[in-house]
Structures are given as structure tokens and as C-alpha cells.
Amino acid sequence: MEASTRGAFVRNPFKSEDTAFRFLLGTLVYFALIVAASLIATWLAVVVFLVVTGAALAMLRGGKRQLPLREPVERVPVADTLRILVIANETLRGQGLRDEILRLSRGVAEDVLVVCPALNSRVRTWTSDEDGAREAAASRLAVALEALRGAGLRARGEIGDGDPLQALEDALRTFSADTIVISTHPVGSSNWLERGVVEGARARSDVPVTHVIGDSTGGGRGDAAEHRLPT
């Protein structure tokens, strides 16, 4: 067989621990309901099986989730100043992200706020075990800020909520951004893209959003796709 000749590599069907946990929990609930019904009556177990299976299939085929309405963000103009809000975690050190911030800052007095979400698994979030996630975010943030300041940029940072969209909303409440830069891994290896984070950011506010594809090293491909929303 081809698998045996090319080694024992097996691709993980789950792109995140969150996805695997939801699948496991749903599977346990699914079988628990059927077993419980079978203890009462066989016909009831059949009915529960059909209903639960139908509901699961309907959820899988339910299509795209409804995005929230876009909320206008009040921006107070500051002469010759561009306020840049950056949302990134593992790709914070990427050269592509740094180059994009430098490009946006050309010819203006920049004010850069870098928010690094404290990414955590759902299990650890439920158990309030966030120390490790916050320490990792703080470490990445410190390295990124040092690099930005070394490039002559005026930048500050903060650790955000583990949900990048919530971290974005929290930052916009206190930082009147003129533009948003979101950095992710490439398609196929980005949990944020799978969850629709960039799409969600564009739907939730009228601030222009730039998506930068990077990596977790100091290099990064630097492919940027800017999408300015209609006013």
C-alpha cells in the first residue's frame, strides 16, 4: 500500500484542539442519548437515533454562520497621524507584518497598538488555566515590539482576549484605529482563517482591514491583501 511505502505519516483531521474537543463532546452526548433511550424502550432508542442524527446532519449542512452587523467605529482625526491596530499571535515576528506596518506608516506619524490574543484551549479556559497562554503571548509581544521599535516605529502592545475577534472589539473601545492589520498563517494551516476571523473583523466594523499572511519565524512571506470596506 502507498501509506506503508511512504512512511507512517497520518494527517490530523482536526485543525485545532478546540475542534477535536467539540467533536469528542458531541460524540459522547450522541451515544449517551441513544443508550439512555434504549434502556427505556427499543422503539424510543430508534426515534432518538433518527432525531439526533437528523439534527447533526442539519447542523453540518447549515451553511455559513450569520455574521453580526457592522458597527461604526468613531474615529477622531489627528493631523498627520495614522493609528494602526495590529492583531496577531504566532506570526508577530514575521517580516511581512513588519514590512506592512512600515508601508502604512510611510509619510505619517504612526501610532501602532499591537494586540496579541492569549490563545488557549477550551479545556484550559474552562478551568481558568490561562497563565501559560498569557506568558506565551507576552513573550511574542515583547519580541515583536522590540523589532518594531528597532525599525523606528512608535509602537506599544497589550495582551488580548483569547478570542481574536473579542480582542479586536476590546481594543477598538479604547483605541480609535484608522486601520486594522490582521496577521495569520497561510490558508490550510491557519485556525483563524478557518474560523473566519478576518471576515468577521470586516463585518464587525467599518475600519479598513489589511490581512497579512506570515509565519512564526522572523521571515514571513509578507503577502498582504487589503480590503477597504465601502463608506
Side-chain angles (χ1 to χ4, degrees):
M1 294 179 64
E2 183 176 330
S4 62
T5 60
R6 296 192 178 183
F9 174 77
V10 178
R11 184 176 181 179
N12 186 352
F14 304 109
K15 294 187 178 181
S16 69
E17 186 178 342
D18 247 11
T19 304
F21 180 76
R22 287 197 299 269
F23 177 80
L24 176 60
L25 184 61
T27 302
L28 291 175
V29 171
Y30 176 81
F31 285 108
L33 289 173
I34 295 174
V35 171
S38 67
L39 295 177
I40 300 174
T42 302
W43 66 268
L44 182 59
V46 174
V47 171
V48 170
F49 168 76
L50 293 175
V51 171
V52 175
T53 301
L57 291 175
M59 290 177 63
L60 290 174
R61 298 175 181 176
K64 294 183 178 180
R65 57 185 175 84
Q66 193 71 22
L67 292 171
L69 295 176
R70 184 184 307 159
E71 296 182 3
V73 174
E74 183 178 355
R75 298 194 291 275
V76 181
V78 178
D80 298 324
T81 298
L82 183 70
R83 287 159 299 195
I84 305 170
L85 175 58
V86 178
I87 307 292
N89 188 284
E90 293 180 347
T91 59
L92 267 175
R93 294 186 301 165
Q95 182 65 43
L97 175 59
R98 191 156 59 250
D99 289 346
E100 181 61 20
I101 297 173
L102 285 168
R103 184 190 71 80
L104 291 170
S105 304
R106 196 171 298 136
V108 298
E110 77 287 341
D111 182 9
V112 183
L113 174 62
V114 181
V115 177
C116 183
L119 304 182
N120 209 359
S121 69
R122 177 161 297 185
V123 173
R124 288 176 178 169
T125 299
W126 283 356
T127 58
S128 299
D129 182 11
E130 299 183 351
D131 291 345
R134 295 188 68 83
E135 288 176 3
S139 177
R140 293 189 182 107
L141 185 59
V143 173
L145 290 176
E146 181 180 0
L148 291 175
R149 291 165 182 164
L153 294 169
R154 184 175 62 172
R156 50 199 165 99
E158 61 186 37
I159 300 172
D161 189 272
D163 180 346
L165 286 178
Q166 185 61 54
L168 172 64
E169 289 187 1
D170 292 343
L172 287 174
R173 291 191 182 99
T174 58
F175 183 75
S176 183
D178 296 307
T179 188
I180 298 168
V181 179
I182 300 177
S183 179
T184 73
H185 288 293
V187 176
S189 60
S190 171
N191 178 258
W192 284 12
L193 291 181
E194 179 190 6
R195 292 165 53 189
V197 169
V198 177
E199 180 186 20
R202 291 172 182 150
R204 292 189 182 199
S205 79
D206 60 352
V207 180
V209 174
T210 300
H211 174 214
V212 175
I213 297 175
D215 59 28
S216 56
T217 69
R221 300 189 322 190
D223 300 329
E226 183 173 17
H227 296 261
R228 295 190 176 274
L229 298 170
T231 56

